[in-house]
Amino acid sequence: MCGIVAYIGYRQAYPVIIKGLKRLEYRGYDSAGVALLNHGIKLYKKKGKVAALEEITIGKDLDGSIGIGHTRWATHGEPSDRNAHPHLSANGKLAMIHNGIIENYAALRHELIKKGYVFHSDTDTEVLLNFIEDIQKNNESTLEEALRIALKRIVGAYVIVLIDKDDPDTLIAARKGSPLVIGIGKGEHFLASDASPIIEYTKEVVYVNDYQIAIIKADELILKNLGNERQTPFIQKLDLELAAIEKGGYDHFMLKEIYEQPHTIYDCLRGRLDVSEGTITMSGIQNNIDLIKNANRILIIACGTSWHAGLIAEYVIEELCRIPVEVEYASEFRYRNPVVHKGDMIIAISQSGETADTLVAIERAKEQGAVILGIVNVVGSSIARISHAGAYTHAGPEIGVASTKAFTAQLTVLAMVALKIAKERETITNERYLHLINELNEVPEKVKQILDGADYIKDIAAKYKDVPNALYLGRGYNFPVALEGALKLKEISYIHAEGYPAAEMKHGPIALVDENLPVIFVATKDTYHEKIVSNIQEIKARKGKVIAVITEGDETIKGMADDIMPIPEADELIAPILSVIPLQLLSYYIGIAKEYDVDKPRNLAKSVTVE
Ligand code: M6R
């Protein structure tokens, strides 16, 4: 939530910041702003996307080689020019950008108002900034000292970056709970919420840790902890190419990412799955195999689409490994008083690796002695770093706000993890193990087949684009796919959609069915096929419209459904990786038909770093 970019060096800061903000717009896009330091602070901010900010800066003085920029996802205060970042402190000397939430801002604001401070925005950011200014004034301290004192008093999560009119050669940044990457150039430094604004300038980066303060000059980076002790920056090499974060000829990132899936799933399997040897190599799992295979219970913790991947993993792990699995929303888990035993294993699933709820939930579980296995996409992200062990999903940067390729990569990794544990625990026959390895190996090619023949989905989208509601139903492994299909439709087309286990329909949702309600069945050939055929009949008997994801050649459902979306035959454990693809495309094409911004749906942000 919220993207931050800052620059200090020999270049003009403005173009670097604007380009970076556009790359980070997926993190929030309701207002944007920039502050440049050059004989005083020049501040420009505007409600709307970064393009709106660019428009208001035409013809303005944009000179300066030190600056901070922000693209916002509103938490405190509506999206507006005055709530946009950067904010200026009361004396006009400091400007600050912030990603996160200051939870005790109301008390601090009250305190500052009593001292005569006047606020020009509704944000917690302006409160923190004036709090820092106030400490600096009262203690006659440096900005760095004032910041240290302030950070010890605030509750919440933050990445902040400050510029100071009186110290025009320095940027000061601090982090707790939200991500901050510093790119190290020759005589220049780049700061950003992720590496995408940085990669074209340098591949050397430092990931700032919680409770660290960075004092950055063009040719110097100093890291300190809140106790004012210097810490050695750990410089890492970025393994990311510019092409991976560009649209590459596609109209939207979402479409590009859907079409990348044959490759991303292949990348996920590559070097791990060896069909000829019948092996799965995952060092993060292997190195901790005794802990993992002897877990009394597995708790899967995630949010949104990653939570849906967790539900599918629950079915797969229980089936193959015979270990009890529970799947938890991270946001619920972190606030209740869950029972976690020493022998429990937590699987945390996250594309971004920065989701605040997931991060805090696993910290809680870790405190109680659980072993954390992170299934994460973004290399070096917070969840990856605090996990005991893990496996990256290798899907590459996912920029479209709606998760697509990250989901299928998560399912692929989770299937491999389950197979590996099952083999170690000897809860799977060799024949079934080899069969599933083969099935996984064939997934990239099958996904390609679905995508190559998917143009017809545009016509289905055109037919249903104006419906107000939709119901998604599935059974067994395909029930979470129904949930994911409904989530995709909601996010991209703003159509109200609900996912249900198909058998639950008669316990309530069937009351919704009439000739206007499209019911999307995920009804591939599996153990539940006959049952779901009956469910389809029940919908048809009430004149509902049926759109069905089916296995190619399934004449039974083809004869009953109004529209079909066929996928190649696959083992039922693996089928969700395929059956979700037509649902991703259906949502995409409906969103496009409704002329919505599918890459940046309203009110959403890609990386939910606030709770
Ligand atoms: O980065 P994470 O996987 O932890 O994100 C979790 C959810 O915020 C995310 O899946 C969200 O639901 C997406 N918008 C789904 O498309």
Side-chain angles (χ1 to χ4, degrees), residues 303-306 349-353 355 358 401-403 410 487-488 491 606 608:
C303 302
T305 289
S306 299
I349 310 173
S350 175
Q351 187 287 127
S352 61
T355 300
T358 311
V401 165
S403 190
Q410 287 166 346
L487 178 64
K488 286 289 89 86
E491 288 185 290
K606 181 74 184 162
V608 187

Side-chain angles (χ1 to χ4, degrees), residues 284-480:
I285 312 296
Q286 194 58 49
N287 296 342
N288 297 278
I289 198 67
D290 285 337
L291 281 173
I292 295 171
K293 79 172 193 201
N294 295 319
N296 298 324
R297 182 176 67 141
I298 294 176
L299 279 165
I300 299 181
I301 296 179
C303 302
T305 289
S306 299
W307 185 79
H308 296 154
L311 284 182
I312 296 171
E314 175 186 21
Y315 284 50
V316 175
I317 294 171
E318 289 203 341
E319 166 74 25
L320 297 182
C321 312
R322 309 309 297 150
I323 302 175
V325 181
E326 284 165 40
V327 189
E328 296 260 5
Y329 282 117
S331 52
E332 288 299 314
F333 183 86
R334 65 179 283 193
Y335 283 115
R336 56 189 193 80
N337 190 8
V339 179
V340 180
H341 299 295
K342 228 175 175 339
D344 287 343
M345 185 176 86
I346 305 281
I347 300 183
I349 310 173
S350 175
Q351 187 287 127
S352 61
E354 300 293 349
T355 300
D357 285 325
T358 311
L359 196 53
V360 177
I362 59 177
E363 275 166 358
R364 299 266 179 282
K366 211 173 164 184
E367 283 158 17
Q368 295 180 58
V371 178
I372 316 289
L373 187 71
I375 307 293
V376 173
N377 193 36
V378 177
V379 176
S381 56
S382 304
I383 294 174
R385 285 188 288 155
I386 73 162
S387 297
H388 295 104
Y392 283 116
T393 46
H394 296 314
E398 191 181 65
I399 293 165
V401 165
S403 190
T404 53
K405 64 175 182 172
F407 178 68
T408 49
Q410 287 166 346
L411 296 183
T412 308
V413 168
L414 287 161
M416 285 192 283
V417 170
L419 278 165
K420 207 161 169 51
I421 302 174
K423 185 83 175 141
E424 288 284 338
R425 287 172 58 88
E426 299 178 1
T427 48
I428 188 169
T429 63
N430 202 38
E431 195 189 354
R432 179 108 177 98
Y433 174 79
L434 293 177
H435 165 72
L436 286 171
I437 279 195
N438 261 302
E439 284 274 324
L440 266 177
N441 196 45
E442 286 171 6
V443 167
E445 185 49 41
K446 289 180 181 172
V447 171
K448 187 169 179 309
Q449 278 173 39
I450 298 171
L451 293 169
D452 285 349
D455 247 22
Y456 72 94
I457 298 178
K458 286 182 197 163
D459 299 332
I460 303 182
K463 200 163 149 187
Y464 296 101
K465 76 179 175 60
D466 294 318
V467 298
N469 299 294
L471 192 58
Y472 283 70
L473 301 175
R475 300 182 81 123
Y477 299 98
N478 276 328
F479 152 56

